[in-house]
Amino acid sequence: MKILIFAGSTRQQSFNRRLARVAAEMAQSSGAQATLLELGELDIPLYNADLEARGTPADVRRLKQLMWEHPAWIVCTPEYNGSYTALLKNTIDWASSPIAGDADWSDGVKPFRDTVVGMLSASNGRLGGLRAQSHLAPLLTNLECWLAPRAYALSGAASAFDDHGALVAQDQREGVRAVVEQVLWAAQRLHGPAA
């Protein structure tokens, strides 16, 4: 099973980027083919319909293809002002925008439809990013994703990782692993072993 894992942050010491790496390692250890996507490596401008009318950026096409090729995702969302980040929203807005005159990408929902998505978040606050997850969930279901019932919010993130980026506490590792395993389980049943 192919699983795409990404965080809605480009910050060098981002808790959510660390969490994404942990999730990718867990997915691989479960036998999945995990792709860890760094959104900061894509050249994607702020969404602007006038800019899009002049031509969809090459990295947006690359993003759409990558999303579509992975029937399972883990999204690690930071929480900014009680919601998910502008980076995450911009990424989703571009990925869901149809490309005029392109038969492959005329359907904006194509990169999302029937994808099984698990949500993780990390924050130094006590809620661990739960409010960001609560805002992200309806956006993903609106795009016809299958949202995994399990989610995990890592609180106290500043002290949650060791010097090598691993989670210190067993219960934290189990919380992340439960989401990864449920996403892989559901995607296997929805898409079959060939996915």
Side-chain angles (χ1 to χ4, degrees):
M1 177 57 61
K2 295 175 75 173
I3 183 167
L4 183 66
I5 301 171
F6 57 95
S9 176
T10 57
R11 190 171 65 86
Q12 196 63 36
Q13 297 301 320
S14 164
F15 301 136
N16 285 276
R17 288 179 63 221
R18 291 185 215 177
L19 196 57
R21 286 191 289 274
V22 168
E25 289 168 7
M26 288 181 178
Q28 285 187 308
S29 71
S30 295
Q33 183 182 337
T35 301
L36 184 59
L37 173 64
E38 291 285 358
L39 295 181
E41 294 176 2
L42 298 173
D43 185 16
I44 297 178
L46 285 175
Y47 181 77
N48 180 317
D50 293 335
L51 174 64
E52 184 180 34
R54 296 195 293 271
T56 299
D59 275 359
V60 170
R61 288 177 177 269
R62 182 175 152 224
L63 173 68
K64 286 174 177 282
Q65 185 67 35
L66 197 58
M67 289 176 150
W68 182 74
E69 289 172 354
H70 290 78
W73 304 347
I74 297 287
V75 180
C76 299
T77 178
E79 183 176 288
Y80 288 7
N81 296 315
S83 191
Y84 51 83
T85 61
L87 172 66
L88 197 49
K89 181 66 162 66
N90 190 62
T91 300
I92 291 169
D93 287 347
W94 271 113
S96 63
S97 185
I99 300 177
D102 186 320
D104 285 337
W105 300 115
S106 61
D107 176 3
V109 179
K110 179 181 172 180
F112 300 86
R113 185 178 291 115
D114 295 333
T115 301
V116 178
V117 183
M119 292 188 302
L120 299 174
S121 58
S123 168
N124 209 32
R126 283 188 285 175
L127 294 179
L130 279 175
R131 293 175 299 180
Q133 290 185 20
S134 72
H135 288 191
L136 183 59
L139 176 63
L140 293 170
T141 54
N142 184 62
L143 290 166
E144 301 181 25
C145 294
W146 292 87
L147 206 56
R150 281 188 185 267
Y152 183 70
L154 175 68
S155 59
S159 58
F161 299 92
D162 67 19
D163 293 340
H164 303 289
L167 287 171
V168 175
Q170 179 66 23
D171 65 321
Q172 294 168 339
R173 292 191 297 272
E174 288 172 0
V176 174
R177 189 178 306 280
V179 175
V180 171
E181 289 180 353
Q182 187 174 72
V183 168
L184 292 173
W185 177 86
Q188 214 42 286
R189 277 144 189 82
L190 186 62
H191 296 280

